[in-house]
Amino acid sequence: MVSKIITRGLLALTAAGVWQTQVHAGGFSWGEANTDILYERGNATVQAGVTYVNPRRDFDTINGASSSDDPFSQDYAIPNVAAMGRISESLACAFTYTKPYGGDSKYGPQARAADQAAGLPASSNYYFGKKFHANEYGATCDVSFEMGKGRLHFLGGGFMQDFTYKAESFFGTLRLEDDSAFGYRFGIGYDIPEYALRAQLMYRSQIEHKADGDFTPLALAGLLGSAPVAADGHGTLPQSLKLSLQSGVAPGWLVYGSAEWTDWSVLKTLDYNIAGLPPQQDQYNWKDGWTLIGGVGHQFTDKIAGTLNVRWDKGVGNGADIMTDTWSVGAGAAIDCGPGQLRIGGGVSYLTSGSQSTAKGANFNATANGDWAYALTASYNIKF
């Protein structure tokens, strides 16, 4: 029998440790909607937090010459908000917000010069920088039933996702935006709170974005004029399937892990059109991604629990860019303070070396040595 205090601590570790300090996740993955809040047995729970990520990816060589450019990957922040209300013993619903996908790159003078020297095929626009992000607003409900010593859960709901894209180049600035696209998630889970045991399988659908916007000419002002011209684009962000497991293994100790498949192979290109110009595209040609996580948690005192986890993200790049394997170590703590619980953590990632080549769709040849990324996260949870 697991005592009440240990049970509380182990469940806190689940929230503090499995929220995954995403130092540098695979592909364009950023945040994940906090649907775990549906397993809380109180009448209502609210959690809000933010993760700050400092990736440090840079080019080691560009077209065979040593590079002195600064890191091209830029810092970013991932908000995460969830509010759960229990309607009955068997029904609870949660509203969630996060940024599930994003990317932000600014290229140095050597990379810009190499891009410009490549000429102007459909995939080359002499980029200074690219930035995009997606916001997800979701609602998910959980219907649960007693089964054996625990409860069987059926989870499902929908979400609205927007998309904003900006690319600055020698020729001008492209802006695209999709106000709303819709998707869904569903899953099944089983938990025994007495032993901090939980198993869950969750599916999230892919999203098709069709965006409108404009292009403000710079070098092309002589051809298109200086006023913005109409533009549009389309692309697909992937579906995913995630299996999560956890269990108490001894008084005050918890082990957990997850395996997630993400269908990044759907992102071959981002296609767009600018009035007065031929069709354009950004090439990715990515492979499917896999993320594996394993961790352990421990209850130190009545009010403090801690966790340590290791994460591996399979590289999705296929040579058109440098998206390699990533190894991460994260640590976190859950601290009862005030009316709720403070959850803090941090992590460090090692981005393995890699290369890109024009033969595989890149605008120029380049290599990257192993690089590092860092993250800090904090959230606060209140139960009613």
Side-chain angles (χ1 to χ4, degrees):
M1 178 69 67
V2 181
S3 70
K4 181 179 178 180
I5 181 175
I6 291 175
T7 300
R8 192 180 90 190
L10 290 173
L11 293 176
L13 282 170
T14 303
V18 188
W19 43 218
Q20 306 167 15
T21 305
Q22 298 209 44
V23 185
H24 194 77
F28 287 136
S29 296
W30 275 12
E32 182 178 318
N34 179 15
T35 56
D36 284 347
I37 201 171
L38 288 164
Y39 288 91
E40 301 274 6
R41 295 306 301 172
N43 292 325
T45 303
V46 177
Q47 182 175 336
V50 64
T51 299
Y52 167 77
V53 183
N54 175 227
R56 305 293 297 168
R57 179 59 105 183
D58 59 8
F59 293 121
D60 180 52
T61 66
I62 296 176
N63 286 337
S66 179
S67 171
S68 60
D69 282 354
D70 291 334
F72 57 82
S73 54
Q74 303 298 298
D75 299 0
Y76 57 91
I78 308 167
N80 203 309
V81 179
M84 182 277 290
R86 181 157 298 283
I87 300 168
S88 70
E89 179 67 15
S90 299
L91 177 63
C93 292
F95 297 95
T96 57
Y97 165 71
T98 191
K99 290 182 179 290
Y101 302 113
D104 189 356
S105 299
K106 292 183 180 180
Y107 300 100
Q110 284 179 268
R112 295 184 191 181
D115 199 11
Q116 187 169 359
L120 187 59
S123 61
S124 181
N125 279 307
Y126 308 173
Y127 285 118
F128 300 162
K130 302 178 187 177
K131 181 178 182 179
F132 95 91
H133 70 263
N135 293 291
E136 179 199 302
Y137 305 87
T140 306
C141 290
D142 169 32
V143 178
S144 63
F145 307 93
E146 290 187 4
M147 177 177 286
K149 292 185 176 182
R151 298 187 71 87
L152 180 66
H153 299 259
F154 295 95
L155 304 98
F159 59 87
M160 184 192 77
Q161 181 174 292
D162 63 22
F163 174 88
T164 302
Y165 177 86
K166 179 181 179 181
E168 297 177 281
S169 74
F170 171 79
F171 295 108
T173 299
L174 172 68
R175 296 178 178 86
L176 297 173
E177 184 173 350
D178 182 3
D179 291 335
S180 61
F182 297 90
Y184 59 91
R185 58 168 51 88
F186 62 83
I188 185 170
Y190 182 75
D191 75 328
I192 305 177
E194 181 181 2
Y195 303 113
L197 185 148
R198 182 188 304 166
Q200 177 181 277
L201 184 66
M202 180 70 80
Y203 171 81
R204 184 186 190 275
S205 69
Q206 73 177 33
I207 294 291
E208 303 279 348
H209 280 291
K210 296 182 179 180
D212 296 314
D214 60 54
F215 176 76
T216 302
L218 188 59
L220 289 177
L223 174 64
L224 301 177
S226 59
V229 298
D232 62 76
H234 61 90
T236 302
L237 290 171
Q239 62 183 334
S240 62
L241 183 66
K242 181 177 180 180
L243 174 66
S244 304
L245 302 169
Q246 70 173 60
S247 178
V249 292
W253 289 92
L254 172 81
V255 295
Y256 59 85
S258 66
E260 182 174 12
W261 165 77
T262 306
D263 187 21
W264 281 115
S265 60
V266 300
L267 188 62
K268 301 298 184 185
T269 61
L270 170 65
D271 300 294
Y272 54 93
N273 301 288
I274 298 171
L277 297 177
Q280 306 288 309
Q281 62 179 202
D282 291 346
Q283 292 194 35
Y284 298 101
N285 298 323
W286 280 357
K287 302 174 290 186
D288 286 356
W290 283 93
T291 299
L292 301 179
I293 298 173
V296 60
H298 181 57
Q299 180 78 29
F300 293 104
T301 71
D302 290 3
K303 296 182 178 295
I304 300 175
T307 183
L308 183 69
N309 57 60
V310 177
R311 175 187 181 119
W312 171 69
D313 281 288
K314 177 181 177 291
V316 299
N318 206 19
D321 52 20
I322 304 177
M323 297 294 286
T324 58
D325 288 13
T326 300
W327 291 89
S328 307
V329 177
I335 305 167
D336 290 343
C337 59
Q341 188 179 76
L342 175 66
R343 298 166 183 176
I344 56 175
V348 59
S349 281
Y350 178 70
L351 288 61
T352 57
S353 60
S355 64
Q356 65 181 46
S357 69
T358 56
K360 294 185 177 181
N363 294 347
F364 54 87
N365 298 322
T367 63
N369 289 333
D371 293 308
W372 297 91
Y374 309 92
L376 294 172
T377 187
S379 67
Y380 197 75
N381 179 293
I382 300 178
K383 298 180 181 180
F384 301 94

